[in-house]
Amino acid sequence: GQGREAPGLVSIQTSHTHMVVDPSRARLSRMSRSVIGTAKAIESVYQDSGFRYRAAMVTFTYAPGQEWEPNDIARVCNHYRMWATRRGIRICGVWVLELTKAGVPHYHLVLFIPRGYSPPLPDKQGWWRKGMTNARWAHRPVGYIAKYTSKGTSGALPAGARLHGHIGLTRAMWAQRSWYAAPKWIRAMVPIGHWISKVGSWWHDRTARIAYRS
């Protein structure tokens, strides 16, 4: 007899195949491609241009009794942008939301900063008043942020929560990010650095003005 799919799984059938898709795994895969792709894009653009940078790993935790709000991480990123603007420098970064085993949110942020500058700790500056932060330099920032994209979430996300985001990307970084975030079969046909977007069931190479559909 034909078995039943596990809860949360969706069947996709054709005349020749029967596939089972887990929406949570698909979401985690998309998040992983996007986050890792963003970090790779920042590194690639900086390295290709000879820009000297280093990466800081910043973790944000909530103190007991403090409630998560949708704009918590956005406010901190805005403070970092203003801090960089006052110094006439550009900073770029990517962040991930993770839940503890108890379901409490916390954030991991990788900041790419020009050499010679050190980002301040957000809790010491009053940018993060809901708990504590810590930071250290990352020798392999892509690997660091990739570690957290592979974990997924251990509970229900707060309503309105985003799993990941970024700060300060240039146009060249956006283009490379779109390439890294695309499926493998698209990356095999489109050169890296071309701007890729999806419209309906079509994948568009905006640079070459070509569209593909699986």
Side-chain angles (χ1 to χ4, degrees):
Q2 185 172 348
R4 294 183 178 180
E5 291 81 13
L9 301 184
V10 178
S11 293
I12 299 178
Q13 299 187 51
T14 70
S15 59
H16 302 290
T17 61
H18 178 87
M19 297 188 299
V20 177
V21 178
D22 183 342
S24 62
R25 285 184 176 272
R27 184 186 187 191
L28 181 60
S29 177
R30 289 193 300 271
M31 180 193 77
S32 181
R33 286 204 310 269
S34 180
V35 170
I36 296 172
T38 301
K40 284 182 175 180
I42 295 171
E43 272 204 331
S44 178
V45 170
Y46 276 168
Q47 290 174 0
D48 289 347
S49 66
F51 183 76
R52 291 174 57 79
Y53 69 91
R54 54 183 179 170
M57 307 177 296
V58 189
T59 301
F60 304 79
T61 56
Y62 288 84
Q66 290 290 337
E67 296 293 330
W68 174 91
E69 292 180 280
N71 292 323
D72 285 344
I73 191 66
R75 281 193 289 265
V76 176
C77 288
N78 190 48
H79 280 296
Y80 273 124
R81 278 193 292 264
M82 292 188 293
W83 173 84
T85 298
R86 289 193 296 269
R87 286 154 180 79
I89 62 174
R90 172 185 287 275
I91 60 172
C92 303
V94 56
W95 57 263
V96 172
L97 169 66
E98 188 184 18
L99 299 181
T100 65
K101 291 182 179 180
V104 179
H106 59 281
Y107 291 98
H108 301 279
L109 167 69
V110 173
L111 279 176
F112 295 80
I113 301 172
R115 283 195 174 274
Y117 292 88
S118 296
L121 279 174
D123 58 338
K124 304 299 183 185
Q125 295 292 317
W127 303 347
W128 181 263
R129 300 184 178 183
K130 295 192 169 184
M132 297 185 64
T133 63
N134 64 69
R136 63 184 187 274
W137 296 111
H139 297 293
R140 296 180 178 84
V142 175
Y144 168 80
I145 201 69
K147 177 173 64 175
Y148 296 102
T149 66
S150 64
K151 293 183 178 182
T153 54
S154 56
L157 289 171
R162 292 177 56 198
L163 281 172
H164 58 91
H166 45 77
I167 170 178
L169 302 190
T170 66
R171 183 173 179 81
M173 292 171 186
W174 272 104
Q176 290 215 19
R177 175 185 182 272
S178 74
W179 187 89
Y180 281 117
K184 187 175 181 179
W185 66 271
I186 284 289
R187 298 198 305 271
M189 294 187 290
V190 177
I192 186 170
H194 282 210
W195 199 303
I196 301 173
S197 64
K198 187 179 183 186
V199 180
S201 59
W202 289 87
W203 288 89
H204 292 257
D205 177 348
R206 299 292 185 183
T207 305
R209 299 190 177 187
I210 301 173
Y212 302 87
R213 185 168 65 177
S214 174

